[in-house]
Structures are given as structure tokens and as C-alpha cells.
Amino acid sequence: MATLPLAGPTAPLDATLPESALRGLGSRPFGVYVHVPFCATRCGYCDFNTYTAGELGSGSSPESWLDGVRREFDLATRVLGTPPPVDTVFVGGGTPSLLGAEGLASILDAVRAGFGLAPDAEVTTESNPESTSPEFFAGLREAGYTRVSLGMQSAAPHVLRVLDRVHTPGRPVAAAREARAAGFEHVNLDVIYGTPGERTRDLRASLDAVLDAGVDHVSAYALIVEEGTALARRVRRGEIPAPDDDVLATGYEMIDATLAGAGLHWYEVSNWASSEAARCRHNLGYWQGGDWWGAGPGAHSHVGGVRWWNVKHPARYTGLLAEGESPAGGNEVLTDTDRHLERVMLELRLSDGLALDALGSHGAIQARAAADEGLLEPAALAEGRAVLTDRGRLLADGVVHRLTG
């Protein structure tokens, strides 16, 4: 049996995973991620693998992409043998809502046909508020989706302009209400904070809008200026300043205090939920070392310590699958050291923290020192878990470095 899965863009569709990776498949959470690469416009801060219609030309379409995804699901069932029923599905992008409810229903039908869904599966799609409607959400519910994630980013028009977001400020709140009216119990709003020009009152207005929407989940991310983006070019030219670390820290503290005061509590450094049931189970699968198959251009997969990723361009992706070849562009087998580092890095970001015995003797010594410095909770440490304090969340990357160094 091959020691690497899908060994590259010329690997045949009968490529296999090593037995060591398949061992235990189904005993860990198993999810499916589907990457939709299409966007109506490109946001200035975004470095995701997305394409506008003008960038793709006639070389790719939603129809050819969906055909490729179906072929990749066929590949997955051969590689995994008898795959376990899917616990979670996450359709991301890109802008999945551009496909409409009918297109998103087709994706879920393909998941059912290829893998089967667990009876209590969580099924999420991201959506741009401007490409949704009450009819859209009703169609999603009928198709079997259980959760919607809407991109709000900010309620301030001038902040949206800096980010090159095209939706009107009030539309995300309206979309969230429409989703709830359609029967979605679990609705998320995404917020970005620290955008150059964002004032305290702007962030406050965004948080007020989030709470007014009545959602049960919020994701809030500090703005990162990614190389190669339009935003990075504007910063480099001096048109706008780079995000300020002190402003980002203050913004995070405001977000956490405001959401906690409204009954949404952090369960991962950048995510808040009103209850355990409201937490995103798909993302928890990533953070807790689960398995997932990522389908679509540029999507990443992980099974039993083996990770691989697809070629990025949609035309290349669909072309390889149509020719009976794997769409994988590269892979790696995680070493024990890699897996240990990733476990610490990911689990420490969770409010449940990390078992202290996972750190080893050196890490445990460093954890006690971090607790003395106010970075880890002393009470949790006494019970055998490393849990970040409020201050520790602001310095999470540094704490991980200390515990694994």
C-alpha cells in the first residue's frame, strides 16, 4: 500500500492511504469541507483561493466545479474504503450563496450519496448577506442545512469600504433574522476588528448590531494584512496604516466583554457561543484532531496524521478529475513532533484547554511558570489542564511557543 495519499497531480484515482492513517477512522470526528471558489467581487483583505467570473473566463463554471466535487467524492470512498457517516459538513469559500439554495442542495445530495450523513450531522454553509433572501434560507432548511454563517465584518460603512466589502451595513442583521425565521436555530455572524480607521464607536456599533440580530454564535477575527492582497499594497504605499497591536488588543477585550455580558461565551480564542449546542462542531473537529476530507480547488484534507491539499485553480482541478487523475497538489505525513505541536497549538486555544500530561515534563514546568505570570488559570492547572486566562488569550501564540519550546 502506498505510504502517501494522492501523491500529486498525476496520481491515479486508485491512490491509497497507509493503513496507519486509516486505523481508527470513524472513532474520531469525521467531517467534509467543500470549497466553493466563486466570488462576485474580490475583497481587498482576502487571500483565500477565490475567483471572480472575469478571472475565470470560460475555463470553469459552477456546473463543471460541482461535477469535479462529485468525482472527488467518488475518489474519497475508494481511498477511505468504507468511510464513516459524516458528522459535520461545512461549505465555505468563496461565496457559496452565489450557487443559490438549489446549488447548495446539490452539494449536500452529493455528500449523502458519497458518504452518508450521521443522523445528528451539523451542516453549515457560509453566505454573503447580499446573495440571500427568505426564500434562499427556506430552501437551505428544506435541503437539510442546520447552520448558517454570515459575513458581516462591520456595521460601519467607511470600514466596509476599506475592506472592499460590497454589502450594505444593515443587510447582515436582516439576513440573520431571515435565517432564524426560516427555522435555523444556529446562525453565526463574522466580525473583523482592527481595520485602519475603525474607531471604538464603530466597533461598538458593530457589536450592537450583532446582538440585535439575535444570533447564537459570533466569530471575531483581528485584521491581518496578507501579502499579495490589495490591502497589503495600500499599506505598502502608505495610503492606510497597518493594524495597530494595541488597538487590536483593546478591540478584542471589548468584544469579549460585550459578548459575555450578552450570554455568548468564548469557547475558542476567536469564537463565542450562547451554549454548547451552538458551538461549531465542524471547527471543533479541526481543533480537536479529527479527520476530514476537503473537496474542491485548494481544499486541505487530514486523515490519521496524513495531510494533503488540492491544486488551486478550478479549471485544473476539474480537468484532472475528468481525466481520471487525483486533484492533489501535495501532501505530508505528520511526525510525532508535528502532531504534538499541533495538538498544543490548537487545543490550547479552546476554553476547555489542554490536558497537562500532554505537555511532558518540560512543558508542565513552563505551564506552571505561565500560570504564575497570569497567562494560564491556576485553578485549572491544579486540576491537570492548561487553560488560557483573559490575558493569555491575547498572547496565545507566545504561550504555545513556551510550552513547546
Side-chain angles (χ1 to χ4, degrees), residues 18-180:
E19 290 291 347
S20 59
L22 294 172
R23 194 175 304 126
L25 183 65
S27 64
R28 302 175 292 269
F30 180 70
V32 168
Y33 172 77
V34 181
H35 184 70
V36 180
F38 310 109
C39 279
T41 61
R42 181 176 297 282
C43 299
Y45 64 91
C46 180
D47 72 335
F48 295 163
N49 186 45
T50 62
Y51 305 83
T52 65
E55 291 169 334
L56 286 175
S58 60
S60 185
S61 68
E63 292 75 21
S64 64
W65 164 83
L66 181 57
D67 184 61
V69 168
R70 290 192 182 103
R71 291 174 186 270
E72 189 176 357
F73 286 164
D74 289 341
L75 165 63
T77 60
R78 289 195 289 275
V79 170
L80 299 178
T82 302
V86 175
D87 298 308
T88 64
V89 179
F90 198 105
V91 184
T95 310
S97 50
L98 287 178
L99 302 177
E102 185 176 346
L104 288 167
S106 295
I107 294 172
L108 192 51
D109 286 343
V111 174
R112 288 192 184 96
F115 300 92
L117 284 177
D120 63 342
E122 174 195 85
V123 184
T124 304
T125 183
E126 294 180 336
S127 296
N128 185 310
E130 294 292 346
S131 52
T132 64
S133 65
E135 295 75 19
F136 170 82
F137 292 119
L140 290 186
R141 284 295 294 144
E142 184 178 354
Y145 283 81
T146 67
R147 189 173 180 276
V148 174
S149 181
L150 297 160
M152 185 182 93
Q153 317 320 347
S154 176
H158 69 278
V159 173
L160 294 175
R161 284 194 295 272
V162 172
L163 296 173
D164 291 328
R165 293 289 295 183
V166 297
H167 66 256
T168 52
R171 180 57 200 156
V173 172
R177 290 174 177 164
E178 291 168 1
R180 292 175 58 223

Side-chain angles (χ1 to χ4, degrees), residues 188-246:
N188 171 69
L189 281 174
D190 279 349
V191 174
I192 289 178
Y193 62 97
T195 301
E198 182 181 59
R199 301 160 297 193
T200 299
R201 65 176 179 268
D202 297 325
L203 181 55
R204 175 68 62 187
S206 297
L207 295 172
D208 288 345
V210 165
L211 297 180
D212 191 43
V215 297
D216 68 343
H217 191 285
V218 177
S219 299
Y221 304 106
L223 179 66
I224 298 175
V225 179
E226 302 285 2
E227 283 301 317
T229 62
L231 182 64
R233 291 189 290 273
R234 293 186 67 190
V235 170
R236 189 166 54 248
R237 290 193 298 262
E239 296 176 13
I240 55 175
D244 180 275
D245 287 344
D246 291 336

Side-chain angles (χ1 to χ4, degrees), residues 188 190 193 217-222 252 255-256 259 264-273 275 278-288 344-353 387-390 393-394 396-397 400:
N188 171 69
D190 279 349
Y193 62 97
H217 191 285
V218 177
S219 299
Y221 304 106
Y252 182 87
I255 291 167
D256 185 53
L259 295 180
L264 288 98
H265 300 285
W266 80 283
Y267 69 98
E268 192 273 343
V269 168
S270 297
N271 290 273
W272 291 258
S275 66
R279 298 177 177 185
C280 180
R281 286 166 48 199
H282 185 83
N283 286 342
L284 281 168
Y286 296 152
W287 299 321
Q288 294 175 335
V344 175
M345 179 176 64
L346 295 173
E347 290 190 28
L348 193 65
R349 294 178 63 86
L350 299 173
S351 59
D352 293 339
V387 176
L388 294 169
T389 62
D390 292 348
R393 277 188 276 162
L394 294 172
D397 290 345
V400 169

Side-chain angles (χ1 to χ4, degrees), residues 343 352-359 367 377-387:
R343 180 183 177 187
D352 293 339
L354 173 75
L356 194 60
D357 58 15
L359 292 174
E377 295 283 0
L381 204 65
E383 295 176 357
R385 299 198 69 80
V387 176

